Amino acid sequence: MTYIIAEPCVGTCDTACVEVCPVDCIHGPHDKTGAGAEAKADGFVPEENDSLYIDPEECIDCGACEPECPVEAIFEESEVPEEWNKYIKINYEWFGREYSG
């Protein structure tokens, strides 16, 4: 199981979740290696479709990120609201991983 970042993060990219992640599995919208470093940089302004992503193979399911998200965009994979289910696949594919749904 992993955590998924859904639609409320799109265009927001608040990094409160990145700061508390013990394994640095949350990454910025254009940087797949830097634990959200791009989104944490001074002066970063997310584009309309930018979001943060959680690497499903690095996530240890600790849940530390979920309560820190100011826009309530983070969910356990099994708890993603139905209207945002497409974000499960988006999160997996952003890391080049196949979602078997």
Side-chain angles (χ1 to χ4, degrees), residues 7-14 45-52:
E7 186 171 290
C9 184
V10 176
T12 302
C13 297
D14 186 287
V45 177
E47 294 177 19
E48 183 178 344
N49 293 319
D50 283 350
S51 180
L52 297 174

Side-chain angles (χ1 to χ4, degrees), residues 62-101:
C62 69
C65 58
E66 185 178 18
E68 295 302 316
C69 180
V71 294
E72 299 180 3
I74 302 174
F75 303 88
E76 288 183 68
E77 184 175 325
S78 63
E79 301 296 321
V80 174
E82 189 173 328
E83 68 266 25
W84 295 332
N85 273 346
K86 69 179 183 179
Y87 289 92
I88 299 171
K89 185 176 181 185
I90 289 169
N91 270 263
Y92 274 81
E93 290 181 347
W94 195 80
F95 291 98
R97 311 209 194 290
E98 188 172 326
Y99 174 62
S100 58

Side-chain angles (χ1 to χ4, degrees), residues 2-21:
T2 186
Y3 279 78
I4 300 294
I5 297 178
E7 186 171 290
C9 184
V10 176
T12 302
C13 297
D14 186 287
T15 59
C17 59
V18 176
E19 301 298 328
V20 299
C21 180

